[in-house]
Amino acid sequence: CAATMKHLLALLVMLGSFQHALPESYSCSASEFKLDGEYILGGLFDIHHRNSSVVYNRPVIVDCSRQSFTLSSYRMFQVMRFAVQEINNSSLILPNVSLGYEIFDHCSDKFNFQAILNMISRNGSIQVLRCVNEYLSKVIAVAGPFRSMESMTVAPMFAMNLIPMVNYGSSSSVLSDKWKYPSFLRTTASNKDLIHLIILIIQHFNWNWVAFVSSGDENSQNGLQLFKSKLKDTKICLAYAKELNEMSDHYEILQQLEGLSIEVIIVFAGQSSAVAFIKSAIKHNIHSKVWIAGDSWSLNKNLPRLSGIKAIGTIIGITETVMPLPGFKDFVYLSQTQRNNRPSTCEQTPSRQTCNQACDLCSDVSPQEIIGENPSYSFATYSAIYAMAHALHNLLLCDIKGCSDNVTVYPFMLLRELKRSNFTILNRHIEFDSNGDPTSTSYAIVFWNQSGQAEKVGSYETDPTLDVPFSINNTQIHWYADQVPVARCSPECSEGFAKKIDGLHQCCFQCNVCPGMTYVNYTDDPYSCIDCRKTEWSKPGSTFCTQRSVEYILFTDPIAITLMFSTGVLLALTLAIVILFALNYDKPVVKSAGGPMCFLLLGCVSASSISVFFFFGKPTVTNCVLRYFLFLLFYTVCLGCFAVRSFQIVCIFKMATKFPKIHSWWVKHNGQWWLIAIVFVLQLLLLTTVFTASPPTPVSDMTSYRDQIILKCAMRRTVIMFLLLTIVLASLCFIFSYMGKDLPKNYNESKAITLYLLFLILTWITFCTASILYHGKYLQLFNAMSVLSSSYSILFCYFLPKCYIIIFQPQKNTQQHFQGIIQRYTQNISSK
C-alpha cells in the first residue's frame, strides 16, 4: 500500500498542473461518448490524431476535435458501443446487469492525462490512502488506446491500482512484459507473430534481399527490432532500413532502394506514413516492386483506387482475419440517425473548451463510410469488450437466473478473472497467455488484385496445434512480371560452388567451385569447401564425397592366374632340366655349364620364382616380407654363381697360363664354392637383420589416385640398399663375361651369361620406368612379371641351349669334340 500511495501522490501533483486547464465540469459529454450503467467500462480511441512534432514548454490541454479526423478509429469507437449494447440486450451474459461506458478521444499520447485521471478517479477525486485491494475507480476496466506508444504511456497509471486494460490495437512486444505492465492484456496479436508471418512469406517465395521501412512510432520501431532479431536464424538479409517522419525525403529513399536493387519492400509503418510513402512511389514512377503491407494499411480503402497504384508492383498485405459482426450494420445506421438529431452537450459549454468527448465531424460521416472503412481491428475491439463482460459475469457469479448483488467488484478482481478468460465468440476462441497476449490469432494474407480489392490468398494461425498453420495460394497472386519476382543480392550458386561473402551481407557473395577432394554442404555451411575424409574422394564441384575403392590384386584376377601358371611352368621346366642334367652329369656339356653348380643355380631359380605367389591377395606383413626376401636372397646366389662361373671361364682360358699358382690354389681349395657361400651368408644375415628391425609393411597409397586406395608393400630405404650387393654381382658377371667374348663358339658360356644379363637389365629398367609412370595396383603385377622374367631369362639364355645340344646334337656332347675346340683356340692364341 505504501508504494501505491507514493504513486498516487505523484499523480496528484500532476493533477494539480492540469487543474486550471480542465473544463468547469467533467459531466460534459455527447451521447456517443457516455452511457450510464451499473458498471462503467472505459474507452480510449484516437478518433482524432494529433501530430506530435510540436514541442511545448508546459502542459497543454489539446482540443482533440480540432485535430485530424481518423475514420478507422471512429469505426472501432462504434464497435465498442455496439458490443456494450449487445451485451446489455443479452440474457446469456450479465443478465439484469447494465454496462455503461465512458469513452474519450485519445488523440495524443502526451496531453490526454485528464481523461486517464477521470477514469481512475471516484466521484471526481482520487483516494490516495487506499490499498489496491480496497480501491474502487470510476471504471472497472479500460479498452484501448490504439497505438503502442499511447498504451505504454498510460498503462502504468492504470497498473498502479491494477485496473485492467484490454487493448485492441497495440501490438508492440514490449507490452508483453508483465513486470512493467501488469494489468495490460490485448485481443490483438503481438508484433512477434506479425513479424514471424512476414518472414514466412519472404521465405516462401525464396527472397533474401529486402528493405524495411518503418515510422517513428513505438510499434514500428518494435517491429523493426523484432525483424532484425529474427533474421539471425534465417538466410534473409536486411539490405536497407529507414524510418519515415514528417521531414523524410521520399524521393531520396526510393532512389536508394533502386540503387541497391531491392525488389521487396516491407512497409511496417503507421497508416499515415505508409500512405504518404506509397503515394510518393507512384509519383516518382517506381515500378515492379513487391510491397509487403503491415496490418495498419493492408486493408486501406483509398490507396487501391489511386491512379498508378498498379504500376508500382505487387502489394501483399497482412491483417488479422476480418470477422463480420452480425447486427453492426443496423446499429450504425440507427446510431448515426439518432446522433444527427441530438446536439452535443460539450458544444454548449460556455468556454468552448473540450474534455475530449466531442466530435464535430462525426455527424458528417455517413453510415456507408463507417461500414466500408478498414475493419482490421473491429473484432479485436469487439472481443475486448466481451472479455471484460465475461470476466465480470464470472466475478458476479451470474447464471441464467441473474447475478449476485453481494459482490463488490474491485479492479484487481476483474483483472484476475480476465487472465482466466476462456470463451468462444463468433466461432473464435478467446484466451490469454501468461503475458496477456491472445493464445491464438488468425491472420489473413491479402493481395491487392486488379480491381482494387484486398483478396485473401493465404492464412496463418498462431495456434501451434494446427497441422498447417501457414499457407499461401500462389496461383491467386498475379505478379507484375507474370512470375514470382527474384529478390536476391546474388544469384544462387551452381551445384558444387561455395559462396564467398562479398561485402557486409551474407546474401551478397561470389561463387567459387570447390576443388577435388572437397565438397560443399548447402545445409550446414554453404560458405566453405569441406575436405573429404581420407577414405573418400570427390570431383571438383561436388556436394558429397564418395567412398574410395580399395585396390589390390586378387588371386582370381586373370593376369594373376596367368603369372602363377607361368611360375608353375617355370618350376616344371626347372625340374625337367635338373633331371636331364642329372642323366647327363658326366657329359662335357653339363661339366662345361658348371657341373654341380648347375643344380645350385636351378634350385635358386626355383626358390626365387616362388616369391611370385606372394604378390597377390591383400598385402600382409608376411607376404610383403616373403615376396622380397625369397627373391633377394636366392637370386643373389644365382648372380653369385654366374659371377664365379664367368671368373672361372676367364681364368681357365686366359689366366691359367699366366698365373698358374693362383689357378692351382683356386682349384685345390674350391674357391668358387667359398665365394658363393660367402655371398649367400652375407645376404642372409643382412636381409634377416634388416627385415626383422624394419620389414616391408603393407601401406595404403592415398595420394596416387583420388578415387582409389592402393594397398601395396612399402620397401624401407634400408632394404633398398641391399640391392647394391645384387648390382655389384651383376656388374662383375657382365665384366667377366665380356672379357670372355672371344672364347670358342661352342664353348662360350660367357656369351650366354652376357645375353642373360642384357635381358635382366632390360627387364628391370622396364620395371623402374613403369614404377615412375604408373602407381596403380597393377604395379605389383609388373614386379611379379619382372621376377618371373628374371628367372626365365636364366633358363632360356643359359640352360635351354645346353639342353638343345644334349637332346638334338649329341655328337657335340663328346670329349673329343670339346678337346678339339680347345686345341684350335689354344693354337690361335699362341700364334698371336
Side-chain angles (χ1 to χ4, degrees):
C1 290
T4 304
M5 290 170 58
K6 290 181 180 180
H7 288 297
L8 290 177
L9 285 172
L11 280 176
L12 288 178
V13 174
M14 186 182 296
L15 183 60
S17 66
F18 285 113
Q19 64 182 357
H20 58 82
L22 287 171
E24 294 180 2
S25 174
Y26 271 100
S27 63
C28 71
S29 65
S31 60
E32 286 189 320
F33 286 88
K34 184 175 181 179
L35 178 68
D36 293 331
E38 297 175 59
Y39 297 96
I40 304 299
L41 304 180
L44 296 172
F45 297 89
D46 55 344
I47 300 173
H48 297 83
H49 183 66
R50 186 184 181 283
N51 192 318
S52 60
S53 60
V54 181
V55 178
Y56 292 92
N57 295 324
R58 62 186 179 86
V60 174
I61 294 299
V62 176
D63 186 352
C64 286
S65 63
R66 297 181 182 275
Q67 309 305 317
S68 176
F69 181 71
T70 307
L71 182 56
S72 59
S73 293
Y74 185 60
R75 176 190 168 97
M76 290 183 276
F77 168 87
Q78 293 295 345
V79 170
M80 178 177 176
R81 296 181 63 242
F82 166 68
V84 171
Q85 177 179 294
E86 195 174 64
I87 292 168
N88 285 337
N89 293 335
S90 173
S91 60
L92 298 177
I93 182 170
L94 294 175
N96 302 322
V97 174
S98 62
L99 282 182
Y101 52 76
E102 184 83 16
I103 304 176
F104 287 88
D105 185 359
H106 195 80
C107 62
S108 170
D109 61 346
K110 298 181 178 67
F111 307 117
N112 290 161
F113 287 107
Q114 75 276 13
I116 311 304
L117 296 173
N118 184 299
M119 289 180 178
I120 66 176
S121 67
R122 182 72 174 178
N123 297 324
S125 64
I126 300 175
Q127 299 178 6
V128 180
L129 297 179
R130 296 202 177 268
C131 298
V132 172
N133 60 353
E134 298 178 359
Y135 190 80
L136 287 171
S137 59
K138 184 176 183 179
V139 298
I140 59 171
V142 180
F146 177 71
R147 291 178 172 81
S148 296
M149 180 56 74
E150 296 168 351
S151 296
M152 294 168 65
T153 303
V154 302
M157 301 180 69
F158 291 106
M160 286 190 298
N161 295 304
L162 295 181
I163 300 174
M165 289 183 66
V166 185
N167 196 275
Y168 53 83
S170 301
S171 55
S172 172
S173 62
V174 175
L175 291 164
S176 297
D177 187 348
K178 294 303 102 179
W179 286 101
K180 292 183 178 180
Y181 310 103
S183 65
F184 182 90
L185 301 93
R186 54 184 158 197
T187 52
T188 187
S190 168
N191 273 343
K192 62 181 174 42
D193 295 320
L194 187 59
I195 293 300
H196 181 64
L197 175 54
I198 291 175
I199 290 177
L200 287 177
I201 293 173
I202 295 172
Q203 291 175 328
H204 176 79
F205 293 111
N206 200 27
W207 297 327
N208 70 3
W209 192 240
V210 301
F212 196 101
V213 178
S214 61
S215 51
D217 60 277
E218 164 60 26
N219 186 64
S220 296
Q221 293 305 304
N222 176 252
L224 176 59
Q225 293 173 5
L226 287 172
F227 187 73
K228 288 181 177 179
S229 65
K230 287 183 177 292
L231 290 187
K232 296 177 182 178
D233 300 325
T234 70
K235 298 179 181 180
I236 303 170
C237 292
L238 180 58
Y240 182 82
K242 188 67 176 181
E243 177 185 322
L244 300 175
N245 54 50
E246 293 82 0
M247 305 301 294
S248 295
D249 186 342
H250 291 168
Y251 177 74
E252 181 182 354
I253 296 172
L254 293 168
Q255 289 302 307
Q256 290 172 345
L257 292 171
E258 289 285 354
L260 292 171
S261 300
I262 299 173
E263 301 298 325
V264 176
I265 305 166
I266 304 164
V267 184
F268 196 86
Q271 181 165 253
S272 58
S273 298
V275 169
F277 186 63
I278 296 300
K279 287 182 177 179
S280 294
I282 297 173
K283 177 182 177 181
H284 294 104
N285 297 317
I286 300 300
H287 295 285
S288 305
K289 302 292 183 185
V290 176
W291 307 82
I292 299 180
D295 57 348
S296 65
W297 66 282
S298 59
L299 295 182
N300 187 282
K301 300 297 182 180
N302 298 318
L303 274 179
R305 301 190 184 101
L306 293 179
S307 175
I309 189 68
K310 297 177 183 178
I312 67 172
T314 302
I315 299 178
I316 299 174
I318 299 170
T319 181
E320 290 190 37
T321 301
V322 175
M323 300 292 294
L325 305 179
F328 178 65
K329 180 178 179 181
D330 296 335
F331 170 81
V332 171
Y333 273 99
L334 179 61
S335 177
Q336 285 299 98
T337 301
Q338 292 175 347
R339 187 193 189 287
N340 293 337
N341 295 330
R342 182 171 59 246
S344 172
T345 305
C346 275
E347 294 173 0
Q348 299 173 2
T349 54
S351 60
R352 293 291 296 163
Q353 290 178 321
T354 180
C355 55
N356 296 340
Q357 289 183 316
C359 181
D360 297 336
L361 298 177
C362 291
S363 58
D364 298 331
V365 180
S366 67
Q368 293 83 357
E369 289 178 298
I370 297 174
I371 295 170
E373 182 52 33
N374 183 351
S376 297
Y377 298 95
S378 295
F379 181 76
T381 306
Y382 183 78
S383 58
I385 303 304
Y386 264 89
M388 298 177 193
H390 274 276
L392 182 60
H393 181 90
N394 295 333
L395 195 59
L396 295 177
L397 306 175
C398 298
D399 54 24
I400 57 175
K401 297 179 180 179
C403 301
S404 174
D405 297 331
N406 299 323
V407 179
T408 301
V409 178
Y410 290 99
F412 81 92
M413 298 168 64
L414 188 66
L415 176 63
R416 182 178 59 203
E417 288 299 327
L418 275 166
K419 291 181 178 180
R420 298 172 181 171
S421 295
N422 191 348
F423 64 95
T424 301
I425 182 172
L426 299 181
N427 297 321
R428 286 288 301 277
H429 183 70
I430 306 299
E431 187 178 6
F432 301 102
D433 63 16
S434 59
N435 295 322
D437 298 329
T439 55
S440 61
T441 304
S442 176
Y443 281 102
I445 303 168
V446 298
F447 159 67
W448 289 15
N449 59 29
Q450 298 298 312
S451 60
Q453 299 295 320
E455 177 185 351
K456 184 177 178 180
V457 296
S459 63
Y460 172 63
E461 303 287 342
T462 59
D463 187 352
T465 61
L466 296 177
D467 294 334
V468 186
F470 169 74
S471 64
I472 293 182
N473 188 345
N474 294 350
T475 60
Q476 289 183 265
I477 303 177
H478 302 288
W479 303 100
Y480 53 82
D482 296 327
Q483 60 182 358
V484 178
V486 177
R488 310 186 71 84
C489 180
S490 301
E492 279 298 314
C493 294
S494 301
E495 188 177 86
F497 284 72
K499 301 175 182 178
K500 180 181 179 182
I501 295 178
D502 184 11
L504 299 177
H505 296 281
Q506 64 174 359
C507 301
C508 303
F509 48 80
Q510 297 176 351
C511 297
N512 298 323
V513 64
C514 285
M517 305 307 291
T518 66
Y519 71 101
V520 58
N521 188 327
Y522 293 111
T523 303
D524 296 338
D525 183 10
Y527 299 93
S528 301
C529 293
I530 306 170
D531 292 331
C532 295
R533 291 194 290 261
K534 289 184 177 180
T535 57
E536 297 175 336
W537 74 282
S538 68
K539 298 184 293 184
S542 295
T543 57
F544 60 91
C545 290
T546 303
Q547 197 71 22
R548 299 169 72 174
S549 61
V550 179
E551 301 291 336
Y552 57 91
I553 303 174
L554 298 172
F555 283 100
T556 55
D557 190 291
I559 302 180
I561 294 174
T562 302
L563 287 179
M564 289 187 288
F565 177 77
S566 300
T567 304
V569 172
L570 183 141
L571 294 174
L573 285 175
T574 303
L575 179 61
I577 294 172
V578 167
I579 295 172
L580 182 63
F581 273 44
L583 295 175
N584 295 272
Y585 184 76
D586 295 330
K587 299 297 178 65
V589 171
V590 175
K591 291 182 178 179
S592 66
M597 191 177 293
C598 292
F599 299 102
L600 177 61
L601 266 172
L602 291 170
C604 289
V605 168
S606 299
S608 65
S609 64
I610 292 175
S611 65
V612 171
F613 293 98
F614 298 101
F615 281 91
F616 312 121
K618 188 174 183 179
T620 63
V621 175
T622 300
N623 62 23
C624 283
V625 169
L626 290 177
R627 72 172 62 171
Y628 295 117
F629 186 89
L630 291 175
F631 179 73
L632 286 174
L633 177 62
F634 292 105
Y635 207 82
T636 301
V637 175
C638 290
L639 289 174
C641 291
F642 281 118
V644 170
R645 185 65 184 147
S646 300
F647 177 73
Q648 283 181 319
I649 293 172
V650 171
C651 287
I652 291 173
F653 289 98
K654 291 192 175 185
M655 299 180 65
T657 57
K658 297 181 179 181
F659 304 100
K661 292 183 178 181
I662 296 176
H663 180 262
S664 175
W665 180 90
W666 177 269
V667 173
K668 182 179 179 180
H669 294 91
N670 295 312
Q672 69 274 17
W673 294 109
W674 281 105
L675 184 59
I676 293 171
I678 291 171
V679 169
F680 174 77
V681 173
L682 180 62
Q683 185 74 331
L684 178 63
L685 290 175
L686 290 177
L687 289 176
T688 302
T689 302
V690 176
F691 276 25
T692 302
S694 180
T697 55
V699 295
S700 299
D701 180 5
M702 297 185 176
T703 59
S704 297
Y705 299 93
R706 65 184 183 184
D707 59 339
Q708 297 178 359
I709 299 175
I710 307 300
L711 298 185
K712 61 183 182 180
C713 296
M715 288 283 287
R716 309 293 184 184
R717 291 184 178 180
T718 51
V719 175
I720 296 175
M721 290 178 60
F722 294 114
L723 292 174
L724 294 175
L725 179 59
T726 304
I727 294 172
V728 168
L729 291 173
S731 300
L732 290 174
C733 286
F734 190 81
I735 292 171
F736 290 136
S737 62
Y738 183 78
M739 291 172 62
K741 65 182 184 299
D742 55 346
L743 292 176
K745 179 178 179 181
N746 290 334
Y747 196 63
N748 195 347
E749 306 295 332
S750 294
K751 289 183 179 181
I753 294 173
T754 302
L755 181 61
Y756 147 69
L757 289 173
L758 288 176
F759 272 107
L760 181 67
I761 293 171
L762 181 62
T763 296
W764 288 101
I765 287 177
T766 302
F767 171 73
C768 291
T769 304
S771 64
I772 294 173
L773 300 177
Y774 175 72
H775 302 280
K777 69 175 182 179
Y778 290 108
L779 184 62
Q780 305 300 315
L781 280 178
F782 296 153
N783 197 346
M785 291 171 65
S786 299
V787 170
L788 198 57
S789 175
S790 301
S791 300
Y792 267 107
S793 62
I794 294 176
L795 296 184
F796 289 155
C797 296
Y798 191 78
F799 287 103
L800 288 184
K802 295 171 176 53
C803 293
Y804 180 80
I805 292 175
I806 294 173
I807 298 172
F808 298 104
Q809 295 180 341
Q811 69 278 7
K812 295 183 179 180
N813 189 16
T814 61
Q815 189 71 26
Q816 295 80 6
H817 179 76
F818 272 81
Q819 287 179 350
I821 294 173
I822 293 172
Q823 288 177 357
R824 286 193 294 273
Y825 176 77
T826 303
Q827 292 174 357
N828 291 334
I829 292 298
S830 300
S831 63
K832 292 180 180 179

